[in-house]
Structure formats: C-alpha cells, structure tokens
Amino acid sequence: TTKPYLNPELRLSELAQHFEVNISHLSTLINLCFSQNFNDLINAHRIELFLQKISSGQLKHFTLMSLAYDSGFNSKTTFNRAFKKYTGLTPSEFLKKTEKRP
C-alpha cells in the first residue's frame, strides 16, 4: 500500500531495512518468490503503473516521460530499457500498436 517503487532512489538495502531483514536474505527471497532480481521486480511494478496511466487516458494530458517519472523512473534510458524488457517493445512501438486496436 505504500508503493515504495515510486521512489526513484529505492535500493535493496532500504527495503531490507524497512522490513528489518538481511539484504542477502531479501534478495534471495525476491529471486525465489518472483523469479527475478530486485531491479526487475521494482521496474515491473513501475511499468504496470505506467501502463495503467496510459490506459486511463493520462497520455492526453501528460507527456510519455512525465508519466514514466511519476511511475518511479528517474531517467529516460532506464525507463526505455525496462519497458522493452517487460513488454518486448519500445514505448513508441507499444503506443503505435495500441493505437491501431479498435
């Protein structure tokens, strides 16, 4: 409910401290439970939030990058890389594809 992934400076160490667990234990737990590393997990949450913003029509009022920053990303490069890894498409390819849908 606190959505720590919105903090662009979030680190594994901060999350471990928040949950009062050892960093290596938290990292192992994330890898085992989610089959991905910490960065990929956090970026997946950010991309999902970004996609929700797009589907709710916020792109009509905000730029692509402002929505990415509001979703917790702190750079265009990181956003583009994470988006392509998560969806298999660049953000512009994704938008073109979704615009063609009836």
Side-chain angles (χ1 to χ4, degrees):
T1 60
T2 61
K3 300 180 183 179
Y5 55 88
L6 291 177
N7 174 1
E9 303 301 322
L10 180 66
R11 303 285 178 259
L12 180 61
S13 58
E14 291 175 47
L15 205 56
Q17 186 176 17
H18 174 78
F19 289 117
E20 299 177 356
V21 296
N22 179 290
I23 295 172
S24 62
H25 287 119
L26 180 58
S27 179
T28 301
L29 185 65
I30 289 170
N31 290 328
L32 290 173
C33 293
F34 299 101
S35 300
Q36 54 188 336
N37 66 36
F38 170 76
N39 288 327
D40 289 343
L41 176 66
I42 295 302
N43 286 336
H45 283 287
R46 291 173 176 163
I47 295 296
E48 280 297 323
L49 179 59
F50 174 83
L51 293 173
Q52 288 173 11
K53 290 175 182 284
I54 294 292
S55 67
S56 71
Q58 291 187 33
L59 195 55
K60 295 174 186 172
H61 305 288
F62 301 99
T63 66
L64 187 77
M65 283 315 301
S66 69
L67 295 178
Y69 292 133
D70 287 345
S71 299
F73 288 98
N74 62 0
S75 80
K76 183 177 182 178
T77 303
T78 303
F79 168 68
N80 286 333
R81 187 180 308 121
F83 193 92
K84 179 140 187 174
K85 187 173 187 175
Y86 188 79
T87 66
L89 303 168
T90 65
S92 57
E93 291 170 339
F94 180 85
L95 291 175
K96 286 178 187 174
K97 185 177 178 180
T98 56
E99 286 173 356
K100 292 180 181 178
R101 291 185 184 166

